[in-house]
Amino acid sequence: TTTTTTTTTTSTTTSTASTKVEKLTGHLKPGATIGILGGGQLGRMIAVAAAQLGYRTHVFCPESDPPASQVCNSHSASPYSDLSSLDKFAQQVDVVTYEFENISAEAVEYLAQKTKVYPSSKVLRTCQDRIAEKSFITSLGIPTARFSNVENVSQLTSAVQNIGVPSVLKSNMFGYDGKGQVKITKETDLNTAWDAILKTGAKSAILESFVDFSREVSVIVARSPTGKAVAYPVVENQHKNHILHKTIVPPKALSPQTEKKAKEIALKIANGLDLIGLVAVEMFLVRKSGSDEEEVLVNELAPRPYNSGHWSIEGCNVSQF
């Protein structure tokens, strides 16, 4: 039975982390309750998968009637800033995860003081902030597009002079599906471009060099509390209007060397994050001049189930959920 209220609802099965989570492996015991921050499509799919494995779910989000609330055991409709509701939520679940990264990192940090939260708030903050994300990736020796932090028009002017055109100006946080982005060319008025970023509510931005990639691929990695990590197959993604239109598995004419490199990069990132949970690594393949070899550049990370992994529900013996 799904219970949806504007306040925290206690499920009929009360549980505590000490009794429902095995300390050494982090494995959830049957009947444990998984708390999910966010009530959208991915939260719904997580709840369905959890039920099939014998777990209960409790969704916490500001919306009163989100998609996930229709299939979960309990639903709390409260702002992420409501500490009292977060306290009650933490008491009613054995572990917490989140369905997307555009949520309050402060709420995740607060919950982590009360119960187990995977992935960690450190992972979330890294993936929320484009500068922090790309700085982390490059610190591992993994290539990305050239980038520069931008906090005003003066810095944007300097960044364009350094990186060149064409380039892409993106809001530093909470952008997705092409939102909060402006392509910079020789004809672009930089004041207008910066105003467009500010209108999204962003206070800072990142300027990235334009990547003339041949195609986009992604790899999802699952990593356990004991550090065991596995990579799903490399997939090719095709977009329409910045939104994923088609995922191809396996990618056409992908060399074994490129496939191996993409998986190694994804696993290196998951281990570098000290991840517990899932991370999707989106990558651009760039043809090297005069060669059939493809360079792999990381574009962005998502510490959650990813739309390019939905095929795994029917296509793998263990889906991403």
Side-chain angles (χ1 to χ4, degrees), residues 119-135:
S120 69
S121 61
K122 181 180 178 181
V123 172
L124 178 62
R125 285 197 178 276
T126 298
C127 296
Q128 282 183 336
D129 184 312
R130 295 184 192 274
I131 291 291
E133 182 178 76
K134 279 191 162 52
S135 297

Side-chain angles (χ1 to χ4, degrees), residues 5 10-12 22 25 47 65 138 146 148 152 171 190 234 254 261 269 286 294-295:
T5 66
T10 305
S11 63
T12 55
E22 295 178 7
T25 64
D65 187 28
T138 55
R146 295 175 62 209
S148 180
N152 51 53
S171 58
L190 298 185
V234 181
L254 185 70
K261 187 185 300 183
I269 287 172
V286 182
E294 293 177 304
E295 183 180 11

Side-chain angles (χ1 to χ4, degrees), residues 203-257:
K203 297 180 180 179
S204 62
I206 183 173
L207 185 73
E208 299 179 1
S209 60
F210 188 80
V211 178
D212 186 18
F213 59 92
S214 58
R215 51 183 166 168
E216 177 195 294
V217 299
S218 59
V219 176
I220 294 172
V221 172
R223 189 173 182 272
S224 77
T226 61
K228 182 179 180 180
V230 293
Y232 279 84
V234 181
V235 303
E236 179 179 343
N237 303 316
Q238 297 179 359
H239 294 77
K240 284 188 178 181
N241 300 319
H242 301 288
I243 297 175
L244 182 65
H245 175 67
K246 182 186 294 184
T247 294
I248 301 171
V249 192
K252 298 176 182 177
L254 185 70
S255 72
Q257 295 84 356

Side-chain angles (χ1 to χ4, degrees), residues 96-305:
V96 173
T97 190
Y98 40 89
E99 64 139 8
F100 71 147
E101 61 272 24
N102 288 351
I103 59 171
S104 166
E106 289 78 10
V108 172
E109 289 170 346
Y110 185 79
L111 286 169
Q113 300 172 32
K114 312 287 182 179
T115 188
K116 296 179 183 294
V117 181
Y118 302 130
S120 69
S121 61
K122 181 180 178 181
V123 172
L124 178 62
R125 285 197 178 276
T126 298
C127 296
Q128 282 183 336
D129 184 312
R130 295 184 192 274
I131 291 291
E133 182 178 76
K134 279 191 162 52
S135 297
F136 162 73
I137 294 167
T138 55
S139 74
L140 298 177
I142 297 170
T144 68
R146 295 175 62 209
F147 65 95
S148 180
N149 185 40
V150 176
E151 297 185 2
N152 51 53
V153 175
S154 176
Q155 288 185 359
L156 175 58
T157 302
S158 298
V160 170
Q161 291 173 348
N162 180 43
I163 290 177
V165 293
S167 50
V168 183
L169 182 67
K170 303 178 180 179
S171 58
N172 194 38
M173 299 183 70
F174 301 122
Y176 64 99
D177 288 345
K179 295 178 175 63
Q181 299 187 16
V182 180
K183 186 175 181 180
I184 306 297
T185 66
K186 291 181 180 179
E187 292 76 29
T188 302
D189 181 271
L190 298 185
N191 285 290
T192 301
W194 182 244
D195 285 343
I197 292 297
L198 292 179
K199 286 178 181 177
T200 68
K203 297 180 180 179
S204 62
I206 183 173
L207 185 73
E208 299 179 1
S209 60
F210 188 80
V211 178
D212 186 18
F213 59 92
S214 58
R215 51 183 166 168
E216 177 195 294
V217 299
S218 59
V219 176
I220 294 172
V221 172
R223 189 173 182 272
S224 77
T226 61
K228 182 179 180 180
V230 293
Y232 279 84
V234 181
V235 303
E236 179 179 343
N237 303 316
Q238 297 179 359
H239 294 77
K240 284 188 178 181
N241 300 319
H242 301 288
I243 297 175
L244 182 65
H245 175 67
K246 182 186 294 184
T247 294
I248 301 171
V249 192
K252 298 176 182 177
L254 185 70
S255 72
Q257 295 84 356
T258 301
E259 180 181 13
K260 180 182 178 183
K261 187 185 300 183
K263 283 189 174 183
E264 288 175 346
I265 285 173
L267 287 165
K268 188 173 185 178
I269 287 172
N271 289 324
L273 288 169
D274 196 21
L275 174 79
I276 298 175
L278 288 180
V279 67
V281 182
E282 189 178 284
M283 295 168 259
F284 293 144
L285 301 187
V286 182
R287 288 281 183 194
K288 292 186 177 181
S289 180
S291 170
D292 290 334
E293 188 177 351
E294 293 177 304
E295 183 180 11
V296 181
L297 302 180
V298 172
N299 181 40
E300 62 183 17
L301 312 177
R304 54 171 173 83

